[in-house]
Amino acid sequence: MALSLTNKNVVFVAGLGGIGLDTTKELLKRDLKNLVILDRIDNPTVIAELKTINPKVTVTFIPYDVTVPITETKKLLKTIFDKLKTVDILINGAGILDDHQIERTIAVNYTGLVNTTTAILDFWDKRKGGPGGIICNIGSVTGFNAIYQVPVYSGTKAAVVNFTSSLAKLAPITGVTAYTVNPGITRTTLVHKFNSWLDVEPQVAEKLLAHPTQSSQACGENFVKAIELNQNGAIWKLDRGTLEAIQWSKHWDSGI
């Protein structure tokens, strides 16, 4: 069912850099009620700029590192819910691309996303009297078409797609719907220079950027379109300035 973002409360994890920032700017055009940005790096200049885009939207920045224990995330979310009373959408967007940092890549790209999702279920889960909610997780086309020179990064993104697909299947139980947006090669600082796993390819960034790319602005525009389409279980591919729903695999029905 299509979703109007007017007067919605949105929490955006990592909404200040690259694709996240251009998506934030696009979201602000939709007359949200509140946009709460959780990010590790404080950038007062950018926050001030965002606040001028649409005076109808209250923009709030809160420092947040997705690698903190889940108990800390629950405390932070309680503060947000106490203030806003309700949150309609959670966007999980934190990510790094550096296969030299194996543990941190897994912690940021996957564990942090799982923890933030798990934490918000305390407030949304209909089994606890919650109202339900919408989770948008940022994956990557590498989640279903791996860049083999960065198997750690690609593996975390495959995990995000699988985790989110499972969340979508659980929606009848929890009342929480979920989908992934999966950007292709996008011109951001993330891909300008990074390390391959065990240095198997010293020029992986250069070779990657030799392929057709897209701007982060074009990606952000399609990102928000995917949010408005609001399809539970969708696996959106955002590549070369286009938006496409893909079929990755057939889910096994356990029959439980």
Side-chain angles (χ1 to χ4, degrees):
M1 180 183 293
L3 174 73
S4 170
L5 292 171
T6 302
N7 290 324
K8 293 294 190 294
N9 292 333
V10 178
V11 173
F12 195 162
V13 180
L16 290 184
I19 293 170
L21 180 57
D22 278 303
T23 303
T24 295
K25 291 177 179 178
E26 194 67 21
L27 281 168
L28 290 172
K29 298 176 184 178
R30 265 51 174 198
D31 290 346
L32 306 177
K33 185 175 183 181
N34 285 280
L35 177 61
V36 180
I37 301 171
L38 309 181
D39 212 308
R40 186 173 63 88
I41 299 174
D42 188 1
N43 192 329
T45 302
V46 171
I47 293 296
E49 177 192 347
L50 293 174
K51 290 181 176 180
T52 66
I53 292 176
N54 187 346
K56 294 180 181 179
V57 186
T58 300
V59 178
T60 305
F61 169 77
I62 303 175
Y64 176 63
D65 186 329
V66 295
T67 64
V68 299
I70 190 171
T71 51
E72 294 300 313
T73 301
K74 288 182 178 181
K75 289 178 184 177
L76 174 58
L77 287 174
K78 185 178 186 307
T79 301
I80 294 170
F81 274 83
D82 285 347
K83 181 178 180 180
L84 302 185
K85 306 308 177 188
T86 184
V87 172
D88 301 290
I89 303 170
L90 168 66
I91 303 172
N92 282 311
I96 61 171
L97 174 52
D98 186 346
D99 268 29
H100 282 188
Q101 300 186 64
I102 294 173
E103 291 185 356
R104 181 159 179 79
T105 295
I106 295 170
V108 172
N109 293 4
Y110 184 60
T111 308
L113 176 147
V114 172
N115 284 349
T116 307
T117 299
T118 303
I120 206 166
L121 263 291
D122 271 5
F123 306 89
W124 274 353
D125 194 332
K126 71 178 185 181
R127 294 171 299 172
K128 299 180 179 180
I134 300 169
I135 292 177
C136 172
N137 287 332
I138 301 181
S140 164
V141 294
T142 63
F144 41 83
N145 186 16
I147 298 175
Y148 64 87
Q149 299 96 333
V150 284
V152 180
Y153 175 83
S154 298
T156 61
K157 294 303 183 177
V160 167
V161 173
N162 268 303
F163 175 70
T164 310
S165 295
S166 298
L167 289 175
K169 291 286 187 180
L170 292 170
I173 297 172
T174 63
V176 177
T177 58
Y179 51 85
T180 55
V181 293
N182 300 278
I185 304 170
T186 307
R187 296 188 297 276
T188 69
T189 55
L190 192 70
V191 296
H192 287 163
K193 181 177 175 60
F194 58 93
N195 298 307
S196 65
W197 181 70
L198 300 179
D199 294 322
V200 293
E201 174 51 73
Q203 293 184 310
V204 62
E206 291 85 348
K207 291 187 175 182
L208 189 65
L209 288 170
H211 293 276
T213 62
Q214 64 184 349
S215 69
S216 60
Q217 180 179 356
C219 188
E221 290 171 356
N222 282 320
F223 194 139
V224 176
K225 288 178 183 177
I227 293 173
E228 291 174 323
L229 288 168
N230 191 35
Q231 293 184 14
N232 184 43
I235 301 173
W236 293 108
K237 179 181 177 183
L238 284 64
D239 197 18
R240 306 183 191 184
T242 65
L243 174 65
E244 175 188 0
I246 69 163
Q247 295 295 324
W248 183 31
S249 64
K250 184 177 179 180
H251 298 283
W252 179 59
D253 185 353
S254 67
I256 297 175

